[in-house]
Amino acid sequence: RLFFIDKQVKLHIKNAPHQAITLRKHPEHDLGLRTFSITEDFYIPEKDYQQLENGKLYRLIDCLNFVKQGDTFVFHSMEYEHYKREGHKTMHWLPVKGNVDVSILMPNKELVKGIAEHAAKDLKPDDIVQFVRFGFSRLDAPGKFWYTHE
């Protein structure tokens, strides 16, 4: 399971800690870990960005919590428990650096272009990956995928 975003918006979260975040490759099975170096800048899906409301608490999956304050986004906390009590929506994300440009050929022959996390560089031809909130795809060549199913 990897993060992929086709239509991304840059999000600056004021006071977000600069650190390394380690995520599991799969939430239920031991398939290894992946690490991201985060700063205050992230990419999130455009559709999630359009739904952000003032004063509500949001969570970047397995990363951090933030609040929208007018046109500014402010770090709130790291702990999931804060989000669990008060949160409004979770969303997947990517750091602004270290991503891979990818294209995914859909069954209707549409070519969806976007960015995937750096771990996509480690895939080999014919590997199947689940892009979170998008679907399963098979790697054909570096950066080029075929969509297989939801």
Side-chain angles (χ1 to χ4, degrees), residues 51-84:
Q51 295 175 5
L52 298 176
E53 298 178 40
N54 200 38
K56 295 201 175 181
L57 182 66
Y58 298 96
R59 181 159 181 85
L60 300 180
I61 294 173
D62 294 331
C63 185
L64 58 79
N65 305 316
F66 68 95
V67 176
K68 180 177 183 190
Q69 295 178 346
D71 292 333
T72 304
F73 303 94
V74 180
F75 174 75
H76 178 276
S77 55
M78 296 294 292
E79 297 79 22
Y80 177 72
E81 285 67 31
H82 290 278
Y83 171 79
K84 193 173 177 180

Side-chain angles (χ1 to χ4, degrees), residues 4 14 21 34 44 54 58 71 78-79 81 91 102 120 128 137 139 150:
F4 164 78
K14 185 178 177 184
I21 297 286
R34 59 210 211 269
I44 64 169
N54 200 38
Y58 298 96
D71 292 333
M78 296 294 292
E79 297 79 22
E81 285 67 31
M91 60 202 77
V102 301
I128 304 287
S137 298
L139 180 65
E150 284 188 24

Side-chain angles (χ1 to χ4, degrees), residues 1-6 21 23-25 34 36 43 60-63 91-95 99-100 102 114-120 129-134:
R1 296 175 61 148
L2 302 178
F3 289 157
F4 164 78
I5 304 174
D6 60 342
I21 297 286
L23 306 179
R24 295 172 54 124
K25 288 186 179 177
R34 59 210 211 269
F36 297 91
Y43 287 124
L60 300 180
I61 294 173
D62 294 331
C63 185
M91 60 202 77
H92 67 291
W93 56 275
L94 287 168
N99 301 307
V100 180
V102 301
I115 55 174
E117 65 183 75
H118 61 86
V129 64
Q130 179 184 5
F131 288 124
V132 175
R133 294 176 61 200
F134 185 81

